[in-house]
Amino acid sequence: MSVRTQVSQRILALHAPMGSVTVAAAVVLTLLLGACGKKSEIGPTQVAAKVGKEEISVHQVNFLLKRQPPVPAAQQDKVRQEALERLIDQELVLAKARELKLDREPDVIQAIEAAKREIVARAYVSRMTSQGSKPTPEAIKAYHDGHSQMFAQRKVYDVQEVNVQGTPDKLAPLAERLKAAKTADEANALVRSASLLSEVRGSTVGPENVPPALFTRLAALPAGQSMVLNVPGGAKVVFVTSSRAAPVDEATALPRIADFLDNSRKRELIEKDLKELRAASKVEYLGAFASGAGAAAPSQLPPTAAGPAMSPSPSPATSEAPSAASGAVIDAATINRGLK
């Protein structure tokens, strides 16, 4: 293993615990600051340690601690010391990296610039989304009362999906027979008899997992009936095998709704602001990108507390994501395509 590889791996290991900033961004930003900063300007009382001629400030320790979960008061001194030790190790590695001139390599320079762009843009988004007021208690309660199927009357459904691979001309002759099938096994046998590939997968879904229009159809399915959805590359036949009440009490629901509404507000601000920025700026596509101008969706702004910009809104009904162990989940993207 080369010295350069060892240094790279050591840097990654040192930064692994650092919260929201990506490992790569944290590494290259530290390289940038280490290469350009003048630590001699740090006042004597602000210096936590010296590594050779380089100084590590108390501010650096505090900044690192802010990115870690809170700890009990009795453990704070220990955690602060551990943070300082990590910064010392980091400084030693960075010194070796500079000695090898890694901070001058084109890929590293590009990574530094990318990290700067991401961090500064995230700071702008954070400031921009802090505008406006948070949802009022009245708005939160109104949302709760107006979405009883997600809270007081919430149900979850055990479903079986037959995922079929095939072209429209191959699936068309099976359409009516699939609709008449009473079970997933029966539908799967029909598909196999037509020499098409398929698989049966089970999952449990609630109103937060699928679009409202589809959930209404799903909840209305009598036992022994299915709905057939067209999806890219084939079809999806969905059977409800059972259902059960799974209410979310008001005390649990209200804080989730508050977060949901606040995140929705932030998401709307991001989308509105990005639209205005594009409208006010001249964007010119050049070279190989000229032919695809406007074909793709606008790029996302960096993630904020609201989650990734323009991603599907999380549901306030439950904070738990569907478990991969539960099998397939009727995902919103697939179902939206199927409803078209």
Side-chain angles (χ1 to χ4, degrees), residues 131-182:
Q131 301 171 1
S133 56
K134 291 185 176 294
T136 63
E138 292 76 17
I140 296 169
K141 186 68 166 60
Y143 187 96
H144 175 272
D145 295 344
H147 296 80
S148 59
Q149 78 282 1
M150 298 185 72
F151 305 108
Q153 299 176 17
R154 179 174 177 266
K155 287 186 176 182
V156 295
Y157 296 81
D158 296 318
V159 302
Q160 283 195 309
E161 308 168 19
V162 182
N163 297 294
V164 187
Q165 297 181 32
T167 57
D169 60 306
K170 295 286 186 181
L171 292 170
L174 292 175
E176 293 304 318
R177 297 171 68 190
L178 286 175
K179 289 179 182 178
K182 301 300 183 183

Side-chain angles (χ1 to χ4, degrees), residues 35-83:
C36 302
K38 293 185 179 180
K39 298 185 179 180
S40 59
E41 296 176 357
I42 301 173
T45 59
Q46 296 175 323
V47 177
K50 286 188 176 182
V51 182
K53 295 182 180 180
E54 301 296 330
E55 296 174 337
I56 297 174
S57 72
V58 174
H59 299 301
Q60 288 174 276
V61 176
N62 292 338
F63 183 78
L64 186 59
L65 290 173
K66 284 195 299 184
R67 301 188 173 281
Q68 299 182 358
V71 297
Q75 299 180 20
Q76 287 181 0
D77 289 343
K78 178 184 176 183
V79 172
R80 283 173 59 83
Q81 187 64 39
E82 289 173 349

